[in-house]
Amino acid sequence: SDMNKPDGQMVLANDRDQILRLVNPLPVRKVGGVGKVNERVLAAFGMSTCGDVFAKRAVVAALFSKSAFTFLLEASMGVGTERRPTRALLPGTQVARKSLGQEKTFAPTADRRVLERVVTTLAEEVAGSLKEENLAARAVTLKIKRATFEVTQRQTSLHRAENSAAVLVEASLRLFRHETGLGSVRLVGVKASQLAAAEEETEGGKQTRVDAALDAAAGRHDVDPSADPSVPAATYACACGRAVAEADRAEHEDWHFARGLLRRETEAADARVLARSNENGGGPASKRRRRA
């Protein structure tokens, strides 16, 4: 990253406003997957930053394929590629994810009190991640890498699926304390596995809000779910046959404009190919003359 030189590091909180403040002015070329060609196409329509892409998302939908449009829209919103279920899972339901863990590397040490503090911190972080994803684990694995780079892993099963920090810390420390003759250790890791949906819902619905935003950006936003249903929204009838909300009229017209430009560009390219073919003697008329 070329942000926050000289070390190029920054901490971005899991906060919508902070993410958008970072993403909006970000040049589209900084997005992984956006090359020089797409950069030029976007620039031709006045889009040089991620904020521009979101503002002109109807034009982007007309210019690119559905998958490319979705990718660019997600990037402009600061949305990652991870997908989570839009509906809450039933307690105990198995999930696709296999495990969730944390590791830490440090200068080799044989001080068991220091190592126990590291184990405790890692277990607490894993528990926090499980709760964020509304998951619970039935097994805990402790990983230890000695200064000699020898790796040891120990696993224990829990009585039931858990995401409690106290339970994960107790299980991790129990595994650690059973290890004797460790010597110097340079890495410790804690992993939760055999995951299932937690008994209680946590902060579900985040992905649902993202999906709703994507639906709105893709044009499926004729009805505002927060609006008063007793008050009809102002609409206008477009020549294409669609009834479009008045607030979205400019965006819809931009979409038609972009489609028209793309169609004319395609027709011009076809005409150039046909002209070159005729010049090279490959046209229908020349073929008839040769046969004659």
Side-chain angles (χ1 to χ4, degrees), residues 143-186:
K143 176 181 177 180
I144 300 173
K145 180 184 288 187
R146 295 174 170 82
T148 58
F149 291 90
E150 179 186 355
V151 177
T152 300
Q153 294 194 78
R154 297 287 183 263
Q155 185 179 82
T156 184
S157 297
L158 305 177
H159 295 299
R160 58 190 292 272
E162 290 279 1
N163 60 13
S164 165
V167 174
L168 267 64
V169 168
E170 189 275 333
S172 302
L173 288 177
R174 186 171 67 250
L175 291 171
F176 177 76
R177 288 165 181 165
H178 283 171
E179 293 298 315
T180 58
L182 285 176
S184 292
V185 174
R186 66 188 321 271

Side-chain angles (χ1 to χ4, degrees), residues 259-270:
R259 293 288 290 185
L261 288 178
L262 186 62
R263 183 173 58 255
R264 287 195 290 273
E265 183 179 339
T266 302
E267 291 171 352
D270 291 342

Side-chain angles (χ1 to χ4, degrees), residues 224-232:
D224 183 358
S226 64
D228 185 348
S230 64
V231 180

Side-chain angles (χ1 to χ4, degrees), residues 1-285:
S1 170
D2 57 3
M3 297 180 182
N4 292 358
K5 290 294 186 182
D7 59 4
Q9 298 181 10
M10 65 177 297
V11 176
L12 182 63
N14 186 20
D15 177 79
R16 179 179 181 275
D17 292 337
Q18 287 194 35
I19 292 172
L20 291 180
R21 279 198 297 271
L22 171 72
V23 171
N24 283 341
L26 194 69
V28 292
R29 193 70 169 84
K30 294 294 184 181
V31 177
V34 177
K36 294 180 179 179
V37 174
N38 286 340
E39 181 186 24
R40 286 197 296 268
V41 172
L42 292 170
F45 287 87
M47 292 174 277
S48 59
T49 67
C50 291
D52 296 336
V53 172
F54 183 78
K56 297 186 177 182
R57 52 194 179 277
V59 179
V60 177
L63 292 172
F64 296 92
S65 66
K66 182 179 179 181
S67 59
F69 164 71
T70 301
F71 166 74
L72 290 169
L73 182 64
E74 289 178 340
S76 71
M77 298 169 64
V79 177
T81 57
E82 181 181 355
R83 288 290 178 268
R84 301 182 188 178
T86 57
R87 296 183 180 179
L89 297 173
L90 295 176
T93 303
Q94 291 292 333
V95 295
R97 185 164 189 166
K98 301 298 183 183
S99 63
L100 194 157
Q102 293 283 351
E103 293 183 354
K104 183 174 182 180
T105 303
F106 39 83
T109 178
D111 190 330
R112 297 187 71 94
R113 290 177 298 179
V114 172
L115 295 173
E116 285 195 6
R117 286 199 295 270
V118 174
V119 171
T120 300
T121 300
L122 294 176
E124 289 173 345
E125 291 176 356
V126 171
S129 298
L130 289 172
K131 291 176 181 177
E132 287 179 1
E133 298 196 23
N134 193 30
L135 297 175
R138 294 190 179 91
V140 175
T141 302
L142 177 71
K143 176 181 177 180
I144 300 173
K145 180 184 288 187
R146 295 174 170 82
T148 58
F149 291 90
E150 179 186 355
V151 177
T152 300
Q153 294 194 78
R154 297 287 183 263
Q155 185 179 82
T156 184
S157 297
L158 305 177
H159 295 299
R160 58 190 292 272
E162 290 279 1
N163 60 13
S164 165
V167 174
L168 267 64
V169 168
E170 189 275 333
S172 302
L173 288 177
R174 186 171 67 250
L175 291 171
F176 177 76
R177 288 165 181 165
H178 283 171
E179 293 298 315
T180 58
L182 285 176
S184 292
V185 174
R186 66 188 321 271
L187 179 146
V188 173
V190 174
K191 180 176 71 175
S193 57
Q194 299 181 27
L195 305 182
E199 293 294 333
E200 296 180 358
E201 293 186 20
T202 57
E203 297 183 67
K206 291 180 181 177
Q207 186 63 40
T208 302
R209 292 196 295 274
V210 171
D211 292 341
L214 290 174
D215 288 344
R220 299 184 290 272
H221 54 269
D222 293 343
V223 179
D224 183 358
S226 64
D228 185 348
S230 64
V231 180
T235 61
Y236 89 103
C238 180
C240 68
R242 298 180 183 177
V244 181
E246 190 66 39
D248 301 325
R249 181 170 182 168
E251 183 179 330
H252 187 71
E253 290 175 348
D254 285 346
W255 182 85
H256 279 298
F257 176 71
R259 293 288 290 185
L261 288 178
L262 186 62
R263 183 173 58 255
R264 287 195 290 273
E265 183 179 339
T266 302
E267 291 171 352
D270 291 342
R272 288 193 295 271
V273 171
L274 181 60
R276 284 196 297 269
S277 177
N278 290 334
E279 291 173 359
N280 295 330

